[in-house]
Amino acid sequence: MAMVVIEETELPDVALPVAALKRHLRLGTGFDEADVQGDVLCSFLRAALAAIEGRTGKALVSRSFTLRIAEWRDPFGVILPVAPVTALTRVSTIGADATVTDLELTGFRLVGDTHDPKVVAVGGSLPSIPSNGAVEIEIVAGYGPAFGDLPGDLAQAVLLLAAHYYEYRDETALSDGCMPFGVTSLISRYRRLGLGAAR
């Protein structure tokens, strides 16, 4: 199934736990607030959030996503690539000429799941996709609008990883995406698992 995921709303700086990261750094490294600007910490927090979301397939802080689908794998339901999903806000067909047709949401149902939430058709099959066109599904995904809404282990993982990025910010050898063991342990139960391997 060809699917493109578009993040519609960017996480605002105000939602980032800058104060919590400062406290964490002060306790762990003797961090002095005068040594670094808030926007630098914001960049480390955004990187940590993105890395953990990429490893887990979870949206941590709530925002809107649009899924653009060119063909159905299952005509009765589609597994969503991000969780947890809290709302289905739009389903539209896109014609080859870019004509957009919004469909009634009453024809669809959101099936919640820890790892594989799904949108299914109510009483039938999913709508046909126009030739050379697509279907767009808009959802809201995340644990809540604030960092404090995250489960404690995920919140701790974000702070640990952001602190790791801060502490090793000058180590170019670490640029290949390494993640400390403490972080991988905290996020392990949130990762999607296939047959013997992470999906």
Side-chain angles (χ1 to χ4, degrees):
M1 177 179 62
M3 180 187 295
V4 176
V5 181
I6 303 163
E7 185 176 329
E8 297 289 356
T9 52
E10 183 179 340
L11 192 63
D13 284 351
V14 70
L16 297 172
V18 175
L21 179 57
K22 286 180 178 180
R23 289 192 299 271
H24 181 86
L25 288 168
R26 191 178 301 119
L27 290 173
T29 65
F31 168 81
D32 184 348
E33 287 189 33
D35 291 341
V36 68
Q37 296 177 342
D39 57 349
V40 174
L41 297 182
C42 282
S43 70
F44 291 136
L45 284 165
R46 288 187 184 279
L49 285 162
I52 290 171
E53 288 185 338
R55 290 282 183 102
T56 62
K58 304 292 183 291
L60 300 187
V61 180
S62 294
R63 52 206 192 276
S64 296
F65 297 85
T66 295
L67 316 175
R68 191 178 179 94
I69 302 166
E71 58 180 314
W72 300 123
R73 176 177 294 176
D74 179 347
F76 300 102
V78 57
I79 294 175
L80 305 175
V82 63
V85 177
T86 57
L88 173 66
T89 55
R90 179 176 62 87
V91 179
S92 304
T93 58
I94 315 294
D97 59 355
T99 300
V100 178
T101 304
D102 290 334
L103 306 178
E104 291 291 337
L105 290 179
T106 53
F108 305 90
R109 182 168 60 89
L110 181 62
V111 180
D113 183 90
T114 300
H115 298 299
D116 295 313
K118 197 173 185 180
V119 170
V120 299
V122 174
S125 60
L126 294 167
S128 59
I129 297 177
S131 178
N132 297 316
V135 165
E136 286 189 346
I137 298 175
E138 187 176 274
I139 58 173
V140 176
Y143 289 94
F147 184 79
D149 296 319
L150 268 65
D153 47 2
L154 282 179
Q156 183 66 15
V158 171
L159 294 178
L160 283 172
L161 187 55
H164 176 76
Y165 289 156
Y166 173 78
E167 291 175 42
Y168 294 96
R169 59 195 177 279
D170 297 321
E171 296 290 335
T172 56
L174 297 177
S175 62
D176 60 354
C178 69
M179 189 170 283
F181 175 74
V183 175
T184 57
S185 296
L186 286 167
I187 68 174
S188 61
R189 74 187 182 99
Y190 296 94
R191 297 183 70 177
R192 286 173 159 148
L193 296 179
L195 294 176
R199 290 192 299 178

